[in-house]
Amino acid sequence: MLLEEVAMFKELDPLLHSQLRLAVISLLASLEEADFVYLREKTSSTAGNLSVQLEKLSEAGYIEVEKGYSGKRPRTTCRITETGRKAFEDYVEALKSYF
Amino acid sequence: MLLEEVAMFKELDPLLHSQLRLAVISLLASLEEADFVYLREKTSSTAGNLSVQLEKLSEAGYIEVEKGYSGKRPRTTCRITETGRKAFEDYVEALKSYF
DNA sequence: TAAATAAGTTTATAATATAAACCAAATATT
DNA sequence: AATATTTGGTTTATATTATAAACTTATTTA
């Protein structure tokens, strides 16, 4: 029984290996809560793109999305979950194997 | 004339924001020279995928690819260019804006 | 009341990543 | 010697992604 070589580079979670999703998670990791408009502004993304990516993060259980109102206007609020936080930490750790 | 807000997150060079291409550049950044088979093994990639990604890095001028022989067998040798090294450094720097 | 704005969602498209299939030459097997 | 296998790749096909354009619905503003 030989020693298998340990993989040199760690897998990069494809859900986080996306510029916009990574930016979103990065923001939520330090803010704990942010709404759609704030995220759109800080990430300089289009609403369409952001909407799609939030949906993916939400499906993966990395964030929670709450659709409510601020006065009469719709307001979508996002929070990172523990799963999401862990995934973010793992992603950062995995990246280190590339440097 | 107002102060424009500085973009919070830096752009991630799409050429390097790819697991396999990043692994290749990472290897070449520290090795200065590596052949196809070595890269395939260290990155645990398929030959087809590697071939495509080497071609992209080469087209971008990030690496130089030399096709020769080792005895009678084909041997493809790769080296990082200064452009490639700079791009890698910039990529790492840009990533920091996400952490 | 019409036009513009806000806050998103849905849909279309182009680019990507990836593996499967293929190829030519060298080596090993019978 | 003929055939099969391995080596070192390339080309092609496919499924997934990332992204913006187009659309929707409600709310202000003129």
Side-chain angles (χ1 to χ4, degrees):
Chain A
M1 170 188 183
L2 353 155
L3 299 186
E4 295 268 335
E5 187 168 358
V6 168
M8 180 139 229
F9 297 103
K10 293 184 187 156
E11 289 296 310
L12 298 175
D13 180 350
L15 249 138
L16 293 185
H17 197 63
S18 141
Q19 187 159 322
L20 182 48
R21 289 195 300 272
L22 186 62
V24 166
I25 284 286
S26 167
L27 284 168
L28 294 178
S30 57
L31 288 174
E32 286 298 324
E33 175 172 319
D35 65 28
F36 189 95
V37 172
Y38 178 87
L39 292 174
R40 179 170 54 63
E41 287 171 352
K42 290 294 178 184
T43 61
S44 312
S45 61
T46 60
N49 193 7
L50 182 59
S51 177
V52 169
Q53 307 311 330
L54 288 181
E55 177 62 21
K56 287 184 187 176
L57 289 171
S58 174
E59 263 172 41
Y62 287 8
I63 67 172
E64 281 170 358
V65 176
E66 198 189 320
K67 282 154 207 237
Y69 286 88
S70 166
K72 288 180 173 178
R73 296 190 163 286
R75 180 164 198 264
T76 299
T77 307
C78 307
R79 271 173 225 89
I80 197 170
T81 62
E82 270 319 299
T83 305
R85 190 176 296 282
K86 178 61 164 47
F88 183 52
E89 282 163 13
D90 288 351
Y91 177 80
V92 172
E93 194 54 37
L95 260 187
K96 289 182 186 163
S97 67
Y98 293 78
F99 302 150
Chain B
M1 168 190 185
L2 356 155
L3 298 186
E4 295 268 335
E5 185 167 358
V6 169
M8 179 138 229
F9 298 103
K10 291 183 187 156
E11 289 296 311
L12 298 175
D13 180 350
L15 250 137
L16 293 185
H17 198 63
S18 141
Q19 188 159 323
L20 182 48
R21 288 194 302 269
L22 187 61
V24 166
I25 284 285
S26 167
L27 284 168
L28 294 178
S30 57
L31 290 174
E32 286 299 323
E33 175 172 318
D35 65 27
F36 190 94
V37 172
Y38 178 87
L39 291 174
R40 178 168 54 62
E41 287 170 354
K42 290 295 178 182
T43 60
S44 313
S45 60
T46 59
N49 193 6
L50 183 58
S51 177
V52 169
Q53 306 312 330
L54 288 182
E55 177 61 22
K56 287 184 186 176
L57 289 171
S58 174
E59 263 173 42
Y62 287 9
I63 66 172
E64 279 170 359
V65 176
E66 198 190 320
K67 282 153 207 237
Y69 285 87
S70 165
K72 287 180 174 178
R73 297 188 162 288
R75 180 165 199 262
T76 298
T77 307
C78 306
R79 271 173 226 89
I80 197 170
T81 62
E82 271 318 299
T83 305
R85 190 176 297 280
K86 179 62 163 48
F88 183 52
E89 282 163 13
D90 288 351
Y91 177 80
V92 172
E93 194 55 36
L95 259 186
K96 289 182 186 164
S97 68
Y98 292 78
F99 302 149

